[in-house]
Amino acid sequence: MTLALTHAHGDRITVAHEATGTELFAYVYRPEAAWESPKPYLHPVRTLSGGLVTDYRPNDHRWHKGLQLTASHLSGQNLWGGNTYVHGEGYVALPERIGSMAHAAFEEVAAEDGRAVIAERLTWHPYDGELWAEEERRIEVSDVDPRAGSWSLTWTSAVTNRRTEPLRFGSPTTHGRPAAGYTGLFWRGPRAFRDGHVFTAEADGGDLMGSQAPWLAYVGEHDGRDGHATVVFEHAPANDHAGDKGTHPAHWFVRSDPFAAVAPSWAFHEELVLAPGDTLSRGYRVTVADGAWDREQVTAHLDRHTW
């Protein structure tokens, strides 16, 4: 189950599964276009057999890049990219509100014993470059299972408010647009995954936008090759909500039409307020699998791989 890690300094880190020769993902931390709110992201992300499960700069939303951590409305700034939603006006070009998340340093970059780790420090900035937050991020690859055709990564982030006033995390929905509560960890699937099958532990298909569930699965069919892939998103049971130490299941932002997208939103229906000096901690696990898994397969996998 050996994993190989390659670091092109100043650009990206790639993690590959040596037995299959598949590059599982690239973690790109080189800054990109300012209008798209520069931030690190994972793309391409692939199944063990090489099937692509992420998109990059699609023509409908150039700032959608694979799997990334975002903040669509943050105290009046846009760390998401593109136009900013303004109630009563729709999406407006406001370049003076576009912020960024910048790579500061790596604490650990390693691969051994079937695991790979990327531990990073980042800084968050509004348009004028002021320091608003510091983040400690850890991405770890584990549970590579060739028999099941799957592998998993965990993404944990601890964001500390460095302002002298609260940071207010919101979304287009908290600002007046229904069913658009996207913010936080965000996945954009490839164009071929449009009209995919979405389900949770309790609901199969239908409108899951804004719903709550401990996990959500998205099944899509590939272009250019036969077969399907399944991507399962979980939030950690220990996720807190603005200091509340009880569990707080995510409200899912999810679309299969006109494109594939999933986000366990931090602020779907209401703002999340982070006081000065406080830290917001979130953990997620994303499982990437070959084939069209059903609820029984997802449940069995999660039972074998508990947090």
Side-chain angles (χ1 to χ4, degrees):
M1 310 300 179
T2 304
L3 296 174
L5 184 149
T6 303
H7 190 178
H9 290 271
D11 183 12
R12 68 189 60 207
I13 297 168
T14 58
V15 174
H17 183 238
E18 290 191 324
T20 60
T22 300
E23 180 185 292
L24 300 181
F25 67 83
Y27 183 74
V28 183
Y29 63 96
R30 178 193 69 248
E32 295 189 354
W35 176 243
E36 297 166 10
S37 181
K39 65 181 71 68
Y41 60 87
L42 273 70
H43 176 81
V45 180
R46 300 184 183 277
T47 67
L48 281 176
S49 72
L52 183 68
V53 300
T54 53
D55 205 354
Y56 172 76
R57 299 191 73 242
N59 59 21
D60 49 39
H61 296 79
R62 293 297 188 192
W63 47 95
H64 288 186
K65 298 175 182 179
L67 181 68
Q68 58 183 340
L69 191 70
T70 72
S72 57
H73 288 256
L74 182 65
S75 296
Q77 290 284 297
N78 173 357
L79 276 66
W80 170 268
N83 293 341
T84 300
Y85 180 78
V86 178
H87 188 56
E89 300 181 43
Y91 285 90
V92 182
L94 298 172
E96 69 278 9
R97 294 193 186 184
I98 302 293
S100 62
M101 300 178 187
H103 166 76
F106 288 114
E107 299 293 337
E108 182 180 5
V109 176
E112 61 182 355
D113 299 327
R115 305 177 77 86
V117 175
I118 301 170
E120 182 184 26
R121 289 189 289 109
L122 302 98
T123 53
W124 293 27
H125 307 274
Y127 176 77
D128 66 9
E130 181 184 351
L131 176 64
W132 272 17
E134 292 180 311
E135 179 191 347
E136 294 184 2
R137 178 179 300 182
R138 183 179 180 89
I139 297 171
E140 185 167 348
V141 181
S142 61
D143 299 331
V144 180
D145 188 345
R147 293 181 61 184
S150 68
W151 64 276
S152 299
L153 69 83
T154 56
W155 180 309
T156 57
S157 286
V159 181
T160 301
N161 182 2
R162 295 305 186 197
R163 302 181 78 193
T164 57
E165 57 188 280
L167 279 174
R168 305 185 70 91
F169 293 84
S171 67
T173 294
T174 67
H175 284 67
R177 184 189 175 199
Y182 51 81
T183 194
L185 191 69
F186 180 79
W187 168 79
R188 173 66 189 255
R191 195 172 300 276
F193 280 24
R194 178 179 178 177
D195 296 326
H197 179 207
V198 185
F199 59 96
T200 66
E202 298 181 352
D204 199 331
D207 185 7
L208 297 175
M209 180 68 79
S211 64
Q212 288 185 295
W215 59 264
L216 181 145
Y218 194 111
V219 179
E221 186 173 7
H222 297 295
D223 274 344
R225 55 182 283 156
D226 293 333
H228 296 73
T230 302
V231 187
V232 183
F233 304 88
E234 306 168 72
H235 63 89
N239 281 356
D240 63 77
H241 184 243
D244 179 1
K245 298 307 178 183
T247 58
H248 183 82
H251 286 89
W252 294 100
F253 172 87
V254 54
R255 284 192 176 137
S256 61
D257 179 56
F259 52 79
V262 173
S265 178
W266 293 355
F268 196 107
H269 297 293
E270 60 185 22
E271 286 190 333
L272 187 159
V273 181
L274 187 66
D278 281 3
T279 299
L280 175 69
S281 297
R282 285 288 188 268
Y284 305 97
R285 181 165 57 188
V286 180
T287 297
V288 180
D290 282 302
W293 283 13
D294 57 22
R295 181 178 290 109
E296 182 178 348
Q297 286 172 287
V298 172
T299 301
H301 173 83
L302 299 183
D303 286 343
R304 291 194 302 270
H305 302 284
T306 57
W307 285 89

